[in-house]
Amino acid sequence: MNEALLPLGQVAAIGGVVAIGPLLWWRQRSRHAAPVGRLRALTLLTLFLTFDLIVFGAFTRLTDSGLGCPDWPGCYASASPVGARDHIEAAQVAMPTGPVTHGKAWIEMLHRYLASGVGLLILVMTVLGWRLKRRAGEAAPSPWLPTLTLVWVCVQGAFGALTVTMKLFPAIVTLHLLFGLGLLMLLAWQHEAYEPRPLPVPAALRRAVIAVLALALVQVALGGWVSTNYAVLACDEFPTCHGGQWWPHMDFGQGFQLWRELGQRADGGWLGFEALAAIHMAHRAGAAFVFAAILALAWALRRVAPGWSKALLAAAGWQLASGLSNVVLDWPIIAALAHTAGAAVLLALLTTLLARTQRLDS
């Protein structure tokens, strides 16, 4: 067996230990529920833990811990930083504020353990889904949705590995974030599929939900590009960018060269400040557009679904406040985490709303 993959089984086993507690809690709480109810409860639990995983992944990135263990799946070919202590100590002595320290190694490995635990929960969901299909036949929900979720989390794990092995390559890190949010959306849709609660709406309103969800996804991708390129403070004022400028000199060509190393242009030169400003301002402009779209959707929902209208307004307000806090408060980690958490909640809300809406003429 390849030595680089030796700790894979051990990391997976630790992930299994992480999953035991949630599984025992789920089994106890849902022991009297019907099989579909048990699956729905497990999906909701996995959805919650996936949200935690996304936020902790943001914490890993924001603390510069993504390369705390510079190999994968283990840490210097060990299952934990304990076994890699000598390697970490040597790296920390050579570069005390570098990417490898004991603290950063633990943050990175905790992220991997939690991801392994979520993967195991999704595997259990998939097995239970197929078992229920075999027993109940046509009456059972389709097991293909949890199967798709299982495949998705495996792809997400592969991007997690590439994030490390490709040294925080911005496009890969952004895709890793988007796949994590996509996993959250799949689980939200799956949770609704186990107990449909249709919300009849006009066809135009359902199309509006789809459009706002698509816009939100594009905006989240722009936000991920800002974060992975460390462009949050390229504009350190609001509503102006810096030095009182409303529209500073920007280089969108360099800023949106997708396939390049962190901090570099595609030709190998250093990424200029104008490129970082372009990345930041694109996200800022997109935020204004998406905020207006959410306001319009909330207004349209105020009569047919007032609860959803209020929830969307609250999520949009949270994102506005946390996004502004990142700029005016000099990017405090709590505001950055709040912004990531808000994006996850907003996408989960829109996905759930889309799953529930049905056209009145259908």
Side-chain angles (χ1 to χ4, degrees):
M1 183 181 294
N2 191 316
E3 287 187 5
L5 297 179
L6 275 176
L8 181 59
Q10 295 171 308
V11 172
I14 295 173
V17 173
V18 171
I20 286 175
L23 283 172
L24 290 176
W25 183 87
W26 160 74
R27 183 176 180 182
Q28 176 67 20
R29 290 294 299 269
S30 63
R31 64 187 185 280
H32 299 306
V36 174
R38 287 170 58 82
L39 263 176
R40 188 169 188 269
L42 182 56
T43 304
L44 181 60
L45 176 60
T46 308
L47 174 67
F48 173 73
L49 292 176
T50 300
F51 171 80
D52 294 339
L53 177 61
I54 290 169
V55 176
F56 194 81
F59 178 75
T60 302
R61 182 175 67 256
L62 292 166
T63 55
D64 294 322
S65 302
L67 296 179
C69 289
D71 55 339
W72 190 92
C75 191
Y76 290 98
S78 296
S80 81
V82 174
R85 182 173 181 175
D86 291 342
H87 293 283
I88 297 170
E89 187 67 31
Q92 187 169 317
V93 168
M95 194 180 297
T97 59
V100 179
T101 66
H102 288 289
K104 292 177 180 179
W106 274 110
I107 291 172
E108 169 65 9
M109 290 308 296
L110 287 172
H111 179 59
R112 296 183 196 180
Y113 299 151
L114 181 56
S116 298
V118 167
L120 181 60
L121 291 175
I122 293 173
L123 176 61
V124 171
M125 281 193 309
T126 305
V127 171
L128 291 178
W130 282 102
R131 182 183 296 176
L132 179 60
K133 184 68 174 178
R134 188 170 61 249
R135 291 178 179 176
E138 294 299 320
S142 172
W144 285 109
L145 191 52
T147 303
L148 172 62
T149 307
L150 179 62
V151 173
W152 190 281
V153 78
C154 290
V155 175
Q156 168 69 348
F159 272 103
L162 289 173
T163 295
V164 176
T165 57
M166 294 184 69
K167 308 301 181 186
L168 305 183
F169 201 87
I172 297 299
V173 178
T174 303
L175 284 172
H176 185 50
L177 170 64
L178 291 176
F179 266 87
L181 292 166
L183 176 62
L184 188 79
M185 295 166 66
L186 270 174
L187 288 166
W189 190 280
Q190 185 176 325
H191 177 255
E192 289 301 309
Y194 287 135
E195 188 182 332
R197 288 173 283 181
L199 175 65
V201 297
L205 186 52
R206 190 171 197 274
R207 288 194 295 269
V209 175
I210 295 171
V212 173
L213 177 57
L215 288 173
L217 279 170
V218 173
Q219 176 63 6
V220 168
L222 284 172
W225 195 241
V226 170
S227 179
T228 54
N229 282 281
Y230 297 89
V232 175
L233 296 180
C235 292
D236 55 0
E237 302 171 358
F238 186 86
T240 55
C241 179
H242 56 78
Q245 295 178 305
W246 287 92
W247 196 252
H249 180 64
M250 293 176 283
D251 190 336
F252 286 91
Q254 283 189 24
F256 288 91
Q257 286 178 332
L258 300 183
W259 202 252
R260 54 175 174 74
E261 300 285 344
L262 177 62
Q264 297 183 17
R265 303 191 303 265
D267 62 8
W270 293 110
L271 198 65
F273 180 80
E274 294 81 5
L276 296 177
I279 294 170
H280 182 109
M281 288 299 289
H283 181 58
R284 189 179 287 194
F289 191 75
V290 173
F291 187 76
I294 293 173
L295 290 182
L297 179 60
W299 177 260
L301 286 166
R302 73 192 186 284
R303 296 186 186 279
V304 295
W308 281 102
S309 178
K310 293 175 183 176
L312 289 174
L313 287 175
W318 178 277
Q319 282 303 87
L320 178 62
S322 58
L324 290 178
S325 296
N326 278 317
V327 175
V328 300
L329 299 180
D330 201 26
W331 201 18
I333 192 168
I334 189 66
L337 292 176
H339 201 52
T340 299
V345 168
L346 178 61
L347 291 178
L349 277 174
L350 288 168
T351 301
T352 303
L353 177 60
L354 179 60
R356 291 190 185 181
T357 54
Q358 286 188 346
R359 292 169 46 176
L360 283 170
D361 58 351
S362 63

